[in-house]
Amino acid sequence: MSASQDQDYESVLLVVRECYAVYKIPPLASSRGHKAQDWGNVEEPLWRGRLRIIAQGKKCFIRLEDGRTGELFAVCPYEENKGCIESVTDSSRYFVLRIEDQGRHAFIGLGFLDRSQAFDFNVTLQDHFKHLRAEEEAEMKKQTGAQQPKLDFSLREGQTLNLTIAGGSGAGAARRNRPPRPATSESDGALPPLLPPPPPPGKRHA
């Protein structure tokens, strides 16, 4: 697979079968951030459908689609630390998405049915960019290692290698350096000296 084909390959990172979006986000009243309670009745959203997080090469997209037909409702091109997604300050289930359409952009509210879906949404985006950073670091280490010269310890033609061993060399040196064997004794298991033979029978004393 070529590099261009690999960049066009889409990988589905997360699918949430049902979520809901609320238009009409009022302007920020303070620098503290958005609040879901300012959106009106969030239990009656203007749209319900499916959410998918798609990775395409190094890019990431959050797609809001019709749950039955797959028709695209809105897309949020996500870039880390670029303000594409903001969490609200009064709930863990609601977010503000920056959607784009033909060069224009707008902000909409996004809500999940429970906290576990919102948690998976957050973790999936974080893991995607952690994976990208790990790939970049591995590629940099690979390039750095390729630039460093490799050490060559092989002998050139005509070169010799001399080894000097302390204490001499050869079998003679081994014998000279060998400690003397200790003298053995009866207690060490050696045989006692032999007794003289008995005298002839004629010379035996009474």
Side-chain angles (χ1 to χ4, degrees), residues 154-197:
S154 61
L155 295 177
R156 301 292 187 269
E157 184 177 358
Q159 286 183 329
T160 58
L161 183 65
N162 297 324
L163 297 178
T164 302
I165 301 177
S169 61
R175 287 194 295 269
R176 288 194 302 271
N177 295 331
R178 185 181 302 169
R181 295 179 59 184
T184 59
S185 63
E186 294 184 8
S187 61
D188 296 332
L191 294 176
L194 297 177
L195 297 176

